[in-house]
Amino acid sequence: MIKEFAVHQMVPISIFETVVPIKPEWIRYAETCDYERVQADNGFMTKSKYVLHDLPDCEKMIHEQFDAFMRQYFTVKKNINFGFQNSWINKHEYLDSTHDHSHVNSLFSGVLYLKTDNQSGDISFKVPPYDNPVTKGFQLEFEEWNMHNSCDYSITPKLGSLLIFPSYLVHGVSENKSPFLRYSLAFNLHFKDAEWGKGEGVVKMNAWQEDIEVI
């Protein structure tokens, strides 16, 4: 048996996670929003897709955390800026869930849990089995699952959990088994006044604007 070897990982998929204090007024706002049942009939979503406009302190806090993710972890330069495309609140009753999906036409997405408990459902992130990190095109069998061979990674959110991840990453939420309503604030981000490169390779991006709405 080989006793010593090294494995170097290149470009892993990164999911940012932290826990922030939730202000009572954010919860009151969520509880009084105007909702509509989603087409899949597995939850409710606010009719407004710009709820962070009404919660400027929450918007500032999320952007500060996102900026730390970009600057401290990825070391993205400060001349490349990002802004919120849209934001909404999901309300889940008993047994409501969210089917697997990704967010098209966005760069980064995230969710802030305003009201949840350990029975409210996990959020799972997935890559297709044929795109697994070990042997693309084949789905192998493993003695045990770990972060190196798994195509499915789940997180049990806490009150105040803030998650940020690439928008292309497929994710879903399991059933709310709690007798209490679950409220989560979701958002997308894109380039805002971003410029990088040199000479003929200069790129200017400003996909962010007030009237963008991604469904």
Side-chain angles (χ1 to χ4, degrees), residues 2-204:
I2 299 175
K3 294 184 178 180
E4 294 184 8
F5 61 89
V7 175
H8 301 268
Q9 288 193 316
M10 180 179 175
V11 196
I13 300 175
S14 301
I15 301 171
F16 174 94
E17 180 184 16
T18 190
V19 178
V20 299
I22 298 298
K23 294 184 178 182
E25 55 264 35
W26 300 350
I27 298 176
R28 287 196 296 269
Y29 177 86
E31 292 174 338
T32 57
C33 279
D34 192 8
Y35 291 88
E36 57 188 354
R37 193 74 174 170
V38 299
Q39 187 174 4
D41 195 27
N42 56 1
F44 295 86
M45 182 184 295
T46 52
K47 292 182 178 180
S48 170
K49 301 303 183 288
Y50 305 98
V51 297
L52 284 177
H53 290 183
D54 298 328
L55 302 168
D57 52 346
C58 184
E59 180 179 43
K60 180 181 178 182
M61 178 277 297
I62 293 175
H63 203 285
E64 288 174 348
Q65 297 292 335
F66 173 77
D67 202 55
F69 187 30
M70 292 298 102
R71 316 302 177 190
Q72 297 178 30
Y73 181 79
F74 287 120
T75 71
V76 174
K77 291 188 175 181
K78 292 185 178 180
N79 53 295
I80 303 175
N81 301 304
F82 304 85
F84 290 98
Q85 270 182 298
N86 50 17
S87 53
W88 62 96
I89 296 175
N90 299 303
K91 180 175 70 171
H92 281 178
E93 298 178 337
Y94 180 67
L95 297 184
D96 278 345
S97 62
T98 301
H99 56 276
D100 290 346
H101 67 287
S102 60
H103 295 200
V104 298
N105 299 327
S106 301
L107 291 178
F108 288 93
S109 299
V111 57
L112 172 64
Y113 286 84
L114 301 173
K115 202 170 184 180
T116 189
D117 61 32
N118 59 8
Q119 297 297 315
S120 294
D122 294 350
I123 181 169
S124 297
F125 300 91
K126 303 174 182 179
V127 296
Y130 58 79
D131 198 28
N132 76 81
V134 182
T135 51
K136 292 184 183 297
F138 297 89
Q139 186 173 5
L140 303 183
E141 296 177 345
F142 303 99
E143 294 291 346
E144 62 180 3
W145 294 103
N146 57 45
M147 63 181 295
H148 306 293
N149 61 27
S150 179
C151 294
D152 189 324
Y153 186 79
S154 296
I155 296 174
T156 302
K158 305 174 183 177
L159 177 65
S161 287
L162 173 63
L163 305 174
I164 303 172
F165 47 90
S167 296
Y168 66 79
L169 186 57
V170 174
H171 55 285
V173 181
S174 58
E175 289 182 342
N176 178 16
K177 297 294 182 65
S178 170
F180 304 104
L181 293 173
R182 174 178 61 206
Y183 289 96
S184 59
L185 192 159
F187 53 88
N188 292 316
L189 297 108
H190 214 302
F191 289 121
K192 179 182 180 182
D193 301 324
E195 181 176 342
W196 69 94
K198 296 180 180 179
E200 295 180 353
V202 171
V203 176
K204 296 182 180 181

